[in-house]
Amino acid sequence: MFHNYKFKNYNLPLVIAVVALTIIGIMIIGSANSDNQSKQIVGMIVGVILMFIVSLVDFEFLLRFHWVYYVLTILLLLSVLLLGDSSLGAKRWINVGIRFQPSEISKIFLVLFFAWYFTHFMESLNTRKRLILTLVYIGIPLLLILKEPDLSTTIVTLMVVVTMFYAAGLTSKVVVPVLSISIPAIVVFILYSMQTGTVPFIKGYQKKRILAWLRPNDYPQSSYQQQNSIMAIGSGQLLGKGLNNNDWNSVKNGNYISEPHTDFIFAVAGEEIGFIGSCILILLMLFIVIQCLRIAKRAKNDAGKLICIGIASIIGFQSFVNICVVTGLMPNTGLTLPFVSYGLTSLVTIYIGIGLVLNVGLQAKKFYER
């Protein structure tokens, strides 16, 4: 089973960085909402065990079940719409004794499916027929996620798959025209959103979030979360107020940030561990992404390379969007911060993703440089 593995290539720095980031996240969660800290600890233990198990399973063997992953993705997302639990106006969870979020699992399944798909059809990726089929395969799960509704996860998942598509060999003849159309379209969309009346393709609350981001003073009820988050980060200054502090002027202690242990965990980090602590969080995330890309560079084949790029993209894009939202650089969304935010489905699935990356590293075609 291990005859092709080079255990000297087992990327311990990546494992240490992932565990360290999770432990810091658990400490911040305990300060933000102590009731969930023990659950996150259990999630980390389960995640580490699954990461180790997956890292020993040949990724090429796993890719044999590519269509199973895609079909399961569709079935899971459909089950959310039909049987899912509603919370805050969205259906994103299924409760089968264990409550979990299928869209998080779907990211890993789609990375595996498209790693096989782009490798299998690499020679014909830029033909019109293949481009259309690829759009269909991407579009079906994205529409189901969007229907929940979960616009932020839809966008991040799209960015992940598109990054894998580009890495697989998507030609600039396709990329340049798409960018030349999409970028102006986004600008026009934002400008149109500022006008009164309904906006196609987005719901009323989504439009209000965009307007609150652009004109926070005009929409105080919708912008207070981000404004309080920015205030919390700024109040932490260089070293922060300390975890589990009882400062009367703490934004977190005053309950000015709703759900501080999930989407806005970075605001709590900024207030309690300060600028230096927040930089450590960001550097750890950057280190994890870079390690995934280094393993991709030394992967023994294109499928392994694309798996690593896909997992790196999930962590990178999701971290970037979450931090931009918390600091007011993007409209408010509902994305967790990988390894740091509370969320058992998100934590366990991303650990499984790291396990896949570690397995690719074990079979690297070149000896991994420390």
Side-chain angles (χ1 to χ4, degrees), residues 42-44 46-47 50-51 343-353:
V42 173
M44 186 190 77
V46 173
L50 290 176
M51 176 185 71
L344 301 187
T345 310
S346 174
L347 182 63
V348 172
T349 53
I350 201 64
Y351 263 102
I352 291 173

Side-chain angles (χ1 to χ4, degrees), residues 19-237:
V19 172
L21 187 58
T22 308
I23 291 173
I24 295 173
I26 289 171
M27 294 169 64
I28 299 172
I29 289 169
S31 181
N33 189 328
S34 58
D35 293 339
N36 292 307
Q37 188 177 42
S38 59
K39 296 178 184 177
Q40 192 77 350
I41 293 173
V42 173
M44 186 190 77
I45 294 171
V46 173
V48 169
I49 293 171
L50 290 176
M51 176 185 71
F52 179 72
I53 293 172
V54 172
S55 71
L56 299 180
V57 180
D58 189 350
F59 71 89
E60 290 187 300
F61 170 77
L62 293 175
L63 290 181
R64 295 179 187 178
F65 307 98
H66 44 270
W67 284 112
V68 174
Y69 305 134
Y70 189 81
V71 172
L72 279 176
T73 296
I74 303 303
L75 292 176
L76 283 171
L77 295 175
L78 280 173
S79 65
V80 172
L81 300 179
L82 298 174
L83 307 170
D85 287 347
S86 295
S87 177
L88 300 176
K91 278 189 175 183
R92 299 176 185 174
W93 297 267
I94 295 177
N95 195 335
V96 288
I98 298 175
R99 193 168 184 259
F100 67 98
Q101 192 170 351
S103 60
E104 295 293 335
I105 302 172
S106 297
K107 294 175 190 174
I108 304 298
F109 282 168
L110 290 176
V111 165
L112 288 170
F113 172 76
F114 282 108
W116 166 84
Y117 178 85
F118 291 140
T119 303
H120 190 72
F121 297 105
M122 192 164 285
E123 299 299 323
S124 61
L125 281 182
N126 294 292
T127 62
R128 180 177 298 180
K129 177 182 177 182
R130 187 53 53 191
L131 286 171
I132 293 173
L133 285 173
T134 302
L135 289 176
V136 171
Y137 288 135
I138 295 173
I140 293 173
L142 291 183
L143 287 173
L144 292 173
I145 296 173
L146 185 63
K147 189 69 175 176
E148 293 182 1
D150 193 349
L151 180 60
S152 54
T153 300
T154 304
I155 293 172
V156 167
T157 305
L158 174 62
M159 294 169 71
V160 169
V161 177
V162 169
T163 301
M164 294 175 65
F165 199 177
Y166 179 75
L170 183 64
T171 178
S172 58
K173 293 180 180 179
V174 176
V175 175
V176 173
V178 170
L179 290 177
S180 63
I181 295 172
S182 59
I183 293 176
I186 293 172
V187 175
V188 171
F189 176 78
I190 292 174
L191 293 174
Y192 186 69
S193 297
M194 297 175 66
Q195 306 301 315
T196 58
T198 59
V199 180
F201 310 117
I202 65 171
K203 297 183 180 294
Y205 77 92
Q206 293 170 335
K207 177 189 174 182
K208 191 173 289 185
R209 285 183 177 181
I210 295 174
L211 292 173
W213 171 59
L214 295 170
R215 302 201 300 263
N217 293 332
D218 295 337
Y219 297 86
Q221 294 298 319
S222 298
S223 65
Y224 79 94
Q225 179 86 322
Q226 280 186 301
Q227 297 307 305
N228 289 341
S229 173
I230 294 169
M231 183 170 61
I233 293 172
S235 69
Q237 299 185 32

Side-chain angles (χ1 to χ4, degrees), residues 205-277:
Y205 77 92
Q206 293 170 335
K207 177 189 174 182
K208 191 173 289 185
R209 285 183 177 181
I210 295 174
L211 292 173
W213 171 59
L214 295 170
R215 302 201 300 263
N217 293 332
D218 295 337
Y219 297 86
Q221 294 298 319
S222 298
S223 65
Y224 79 94
Q225 179 86 322
Q226 280 186 301
Q227 297 307 305
N228 289 341
S229 173
I230 294 169
M231 183 170 61
I233 293 172
S235 69
Q237 299 185 32
L238 187 64
L239 298 176
K241 299 175 182 178
L243 293 170
N244 302 298
N245 71 81
N246 295 314
D247 284 7
W248 63 270
N249 61 345
S250 167
V251 178
K252 181 211 72 180
N253 293 339
N255 295 320
Y256 291 110
I257 301 176
S258 60
E259 301 296 327
H261 57 296
T262 56
D263 304 342
F264 280 79
I265 192 74
F266 191 76
V268 180
E271 183 175 52
E272 301 203 338
I273 61 177
F275 177 78
I276 291 179

